[in-house]
């Protein structure tokens, strides 16, 4: 199961005299709450109530839920356990009481004597001319430098995150501008397509108008042709009417002639009747002529019948001719009416044609004006598109410049991180060198102690008597004795710290006299650069051969003296003065 919280940079041991920084990383899977806390537990704990001390888990002010963030809390020195061999560990406990993570094990140990201490020379000012020497543990100094490096690293990470946020913001702005430009581009394209559709529609309308005009012209030509054909038909009908009128005149003349002939025949019949009456009156007289007259009468009757039949045929022909004349007159009247209607229709068509031409000319002018406006609008849109493309090109150039600057900043950050890592490696190397020097000093100290034991065995004197008689024999060297005592007890150089009273520190009390004070900033890198680090190194010890030679010389001197005991004491004092470093200069420096 992946841990939701991970502890970082946990050391193997800590000093209880200085505060302890606990660095941890909250993963994106963990939901941070203000009641989360980090406790210091002794290894082997069974419940979350078995903590030694705790602090509330803090996060940066710009923390966002669901993101990974690096955090740091501080355990004050007054709440830390005393130096012992017991192992401890950091435990992250959530607000619900769940254990989210456990750190590696470590111990609390006291700083070693002189070899773990370094001297810091701090100057208060050039005018005063007063310098101050501070003796601090080497581990604390290295821890301070490590904190400075971590602080610089955190600042670099914050600057990197700020640069990333700025880059994301610029990306969002560029994306918004790009979307706005795309939206504007789509709107312009839709406007251009709409104008093109309107232009095509107007072009189709003009084509339709031209086609209608051509159709109207064809219709006018057809009407003109029909008019010419109708006029020709009218002329033909007029000629036909004239011919028919002449025929009617001839027929009427014939009917008149036939009527006159009928009247003549009637007169003849009357005459014949009169003659018949005369013949009847003369019948008696003219019986001889009766047969002739009868025959003549029969012939006359036959002629009369034939004339009646011919008159009836002429009457029927005359009636048919009259009806035909009436029909031709009605057809002529209808033809005249149709010609008048055609002339009216032709006048209306010519008037509509003129109106259509005028309307078409107006529409053509309006379409030309709209086409010119659309062309101008297209030109303006093309100019705007060119401007937008130029602005987009400028934004792209700015984006490239920003990417180059961000790359440079990344390179600078990487270089700074490499420098901090290199400094950290140098500090670690210096720490290893100091440890090696410490081991060498321990070995030399052991050799010195062995040599002192050998001297004591040779002289046969007790070491306590030597150290007690040494100030009496050499009263003129108090500074060396003081320096020896300082070398033997380096804790005397440090100012005594009164132990701070421990208050009731429970989970329910967040604030108190011993609560964590996060407002005290760490020392700045400039102050660390101003202060000069001076590492105390002991004076080179003499080899056992030189010590034996000095011992032999002093023993020969003691044989020449009258009082062997006093000479032995004097020789032991000289040997001690030779073996131990002379700190008279350092004593004057402290004064």
């Amino acid at each position: 199961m992946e841990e939701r919280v991970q502890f970082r940079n946990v050391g193997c041991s800590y000093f209880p005299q200085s505060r302890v920084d606990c660095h941890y990383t909250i993963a994106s899977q963990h939901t941070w709450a203000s009641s989360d806390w980090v406790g210091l537990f002794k290894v082997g704990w069974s419940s979350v109530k078995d903590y030694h001390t705790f602090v509330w888990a803090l996060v940066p002010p710009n923390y966002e839920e669901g993101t990974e963030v690096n955090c740091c809390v501080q355990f004050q020195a007054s709440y830390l356990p005393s130096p012992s061999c017991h192992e401890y560990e950091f435990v992250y406990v959530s607000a619900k009481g769940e254990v989210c993570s456990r750190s590696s094990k470590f111990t609390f140990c006291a700083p070693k004597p002189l070899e773990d201490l370094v001297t810091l020379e701090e100057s208060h000012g050039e005018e005063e001319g007063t310098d101050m020497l501070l003796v601090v543990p080497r581990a604390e100094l290295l821890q301070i430098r490590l904190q400075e490096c971590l602080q610089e690293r955190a600042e670099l990470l914050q600057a990197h995150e700020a640069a990333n946020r700025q880059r994301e913001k610029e990306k969002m702005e560029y994306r918004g501008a790009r979307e706005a430009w795309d939206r504007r581009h789509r709107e312009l394209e839709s406007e251009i397509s709409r104008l093109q559709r309107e232009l095509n529609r107007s072009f189709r309308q003009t084509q339709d108008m031209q086609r209608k005009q051509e159709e109207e012209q064809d219709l006018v030509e057809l009407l003109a042709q029909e008019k010419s054909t109708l006029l020709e038909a009218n002329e033909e009908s007029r000629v036909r009417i004239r011919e028919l009128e002449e025929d009617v005149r001839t027929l009427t003349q014939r009917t008149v002639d036939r009527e006159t002939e009928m009247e003549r025949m009637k007169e003849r019949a009357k005459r014949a009747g009169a003659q018949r009456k005369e013949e009847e009156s003369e019948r008696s007289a003219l019986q001889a002529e009766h047969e002739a007259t009868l025959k003549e009468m029969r012939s006359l009757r036959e002629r009369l019948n034939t004339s009646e039949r011919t008159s009836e045929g002429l009457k029927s022909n005359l009636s048919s001719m009259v009806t035909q004349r009436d029909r031709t007159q009605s057809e002529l009247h209808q033809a005249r009416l149709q010609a008048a209607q055609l002339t009216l229709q032709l006048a209306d068509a010519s008037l509509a044609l003129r109106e259509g031409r005028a309307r078409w000319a107006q529409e053509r002018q309006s379409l030309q004006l709209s086409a010119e406006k659309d062309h101008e609008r297209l030109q303006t849109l093309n100019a705007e598109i060119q401007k937008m493309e130029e602005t987009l090109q400028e934004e792209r150039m700015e984006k490239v410049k920003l990417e180059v600057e961000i790359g440079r900043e990344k390179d600078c950050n990487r270089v700074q991180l490499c420098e901090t890592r290199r400094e950290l490696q140098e500090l670690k190397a210096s720490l290893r060198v100091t440890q090696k020097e410490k081991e060498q000093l321990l070995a030399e100290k052991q050799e010195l102690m062995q040599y002192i034991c050998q001297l004591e065995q040779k002289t046969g004197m007790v070491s306590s008597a030597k150290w007690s008689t040494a100030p009496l024999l050499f009263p003129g060297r108090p500074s060396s004795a003081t320096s020896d005592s300082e070398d033997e007890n380096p804790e005397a150089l440090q100012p005594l710290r009164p132990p701070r009273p421990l208050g009731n520190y429970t989970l329910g009390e967040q604030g108190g006299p011993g609560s964590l004070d996060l407002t005290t900033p760490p020392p700045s890198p400039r102050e660390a650069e101003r202060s000069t680090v001076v590492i105390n190194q002991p004076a080179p010890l003499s080899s056992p051969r030189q010590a034996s030679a000095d011992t032999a010389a002093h023993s020969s001197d003691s044989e020449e003296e009258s009082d062997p005991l006093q000479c032995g004491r004097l020789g032991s004092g000289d040997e001690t003065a030779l073996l131990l470093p002379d700190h008279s200069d350092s004593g004057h420096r402290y004064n």
Side-chain angles (χ1 to χ4, degrees), residues 2 41 114 130 204 216 291 334 383 388 422 426 434 478:
E2 187 178 358
F41 288 80
L114 185 62
T130 58
R204 285 196 297 272
E216 288 178 356
E291 293 177 0
Q334 288 178 359
M388 292 292 287
R422 184 172 55 78
E426 289 177 356
T434 52

Side-chain angles (χ1 to χ4, degrees), residues 87-102:
E87 293 182 343
Y88 292 86
E89 61 183 356
F90 296 120
V91 179
Y92 189 97
V93 183
S94 64
K96 298 179 181 179
E98 298 177 355
V99 177
C100 298
S101 178
R102 299 169 65 177

Side-chain angles (χ1 to χ4, degrees), residues 111-119 134-140 489-491 493-494 534-537:
K112 298 295 175 65
L114 185 62
E115 54 269 18
D116 287 338
L117 299 175
V118 294
T119 304
L134 297 177
V135 179
V136 295
R138 188 189 304 276
E140 185 176 356
N489 190 10
E491 295 178 355
L493 296 175
Q494 298 180 357
V534 179
I535 300 174
N536 278 338
Q537 295 183 357

Side-chain angles (χ1 to χ4, degrees), residues 165-413:
R165 286 195 297 272
Q166 185 69 21
R167 183 181 177 186
E168 292 294 333
K169 183 178 179 182
E170 290 174 355
K171 281 185 179 179
M172 293 295 292
E173 291 178 355
Y174 172 73
R175 195 175 299 163
R178 178 69 179 178
E179 290 177 356
W181 186 84
D182 291 337
R183 188 166 54 254
R184 179 63 178 168
H185 187 66
R186 287 194 294 271
E187 290 177 358
L188 291 175
E189 286 181 351
S190 61
E191 186 71 18
I192 290 168
S193 60
R194 186 179 64 79
L195 292 173
Q196 286 179 354
R197 286 196 298 273
E198 290 180 357
L199 185 62
N200 294 327
R201 187 168 59 253
S202 61
F203 184 70
R204 285 196 297 272
Q205 287 178 358
T206 52
Q207 287 182 351
D208 293 337
M209 292 293 293
Q210 288 178 358
R211 188 169 57 255
K212 287 180 181 179
Q213 186 180 5
E214 291 176 357
E215 290 177 356
E216 288 178 356
Q217 287 180 358
D218 295 336
L219 182 61
V220 169
E221 291 177 356
L222 289 173
L223 289 173
Q225 291 177 0
E226 289 179 358
K227 182 180 178 182
S228 61
T229 53
L230 288 173
L231 290 173
E232 290 176 357
N234 192 6
E235 291 293 333
E236 290 177 357
S237 62
R238 285 179 182 177
V239 172
R240 181 66 177 167
I241 287 167
R242 288 172 186 172
E243 291 177 354
L244 290 172
E245 286 178 352
E246 290 178 357
D247 292 336
V248 167
R249 287 193 192 97
T250 55
L251 289 173
T252 52
Q253 187 66 31
R254 285 179 183 177
T255 54
V256 169
D257 293 337
R258 286 180 181 179
E259 285 177 356
T260 55
E261 190 176 357
M262 285 294 293
E263 288 177 356
R264 288 175 184 174
M265 290 295 291
K266 285 179 180 180
E267 288 177 356
R268 285 179 183 177
K270 286 178 180 179
R271 287 175 185 175
Q275 287 177 2
R276 188 178 60 183
K277 287 177 180 180
E278 288 177 357
E279 286 177 356
E280 284 179 357
S281 63
E282 291 177 358
R283 187 174 184 179
S284 59
L286 297 173
Q287 288 182 355
E289 295 179 0
H290 182 66
E291 293 177 0
T293 53
L294 286 173
K295 290 181 181 177
E296 189 175 357
M297 283 294 291
R298 289 174 183 170
S299 62
L300 288 172
R301 284 179 180 176
E302 289 177 358
R303 288 180 182 176
L304 182 61
N305 292 325
T306 55
S307 63
E308 286 179 354
R309 285 195 295 272
T310 55
S311 64
E312 288 177 358
L314 289 172
K315 285 181 180 179
S316 62
N317 290 328
L318 183 61
S319 62
S320 63
M321 289 178 70
V322 169
T323 54
Q324 189 175 3
R325 185 187 65 182
D326 295 334
R327 193 181 298 113
T328 53
Q329 286 180 356
S330 63
E331 288 178 357
L332 180 61
H333 185 66
Q334 288 178 359
R336 287 177 180 174
L337 290 174
Q338 288 178 0
Q341 288 178 358
L342 287 173
T343 53
L344 290 173
Q345 289 178 0
L346 183 61
D348 293 335
S350 62
L351 182 61
L353 180 61
R354 290 175 184 175
E355 291 178 355
R357 285 180 179 177
R359 196 181 304 110
W360 179 76
Q362 291 178 358
E363 290 179 355
R364 185 178 179 183
Q365 289 179 358
S366 62
L367 288 173
Q368 286 179 355
L369 291 173
S370 63
E372 289 177 357
K373 290 180 180 178
D374 294 337
H375 186 66
E376 291 176 356
R377 194 179 299 171
L378 285 173
Q379 288 180 353
T380 54
L381 290 174
N382 289 325
E384 289 180 358
I385 289 170
Q386 289 179 358
K387 289 180 181 178
M388 292 292 287
E389 288 179 353
E390 290 176 357
T391 54
L392 181 61
Q393 190 69 23
E394 291 177 357
E395 289 177 356
R396 286 177 180 172
M397 294 295 291
E398 290 178 357
K399 180 185 176 183
V400 171
K401 290 180 181 178
L402 289 173
E403 288 179 353
V404 171
E405 290 179 357
I406 290 169
R408 290 177 181 174
E409 290 180 357
K410 283 184 178 179
D411 295 336
C412 293
N413 293 332

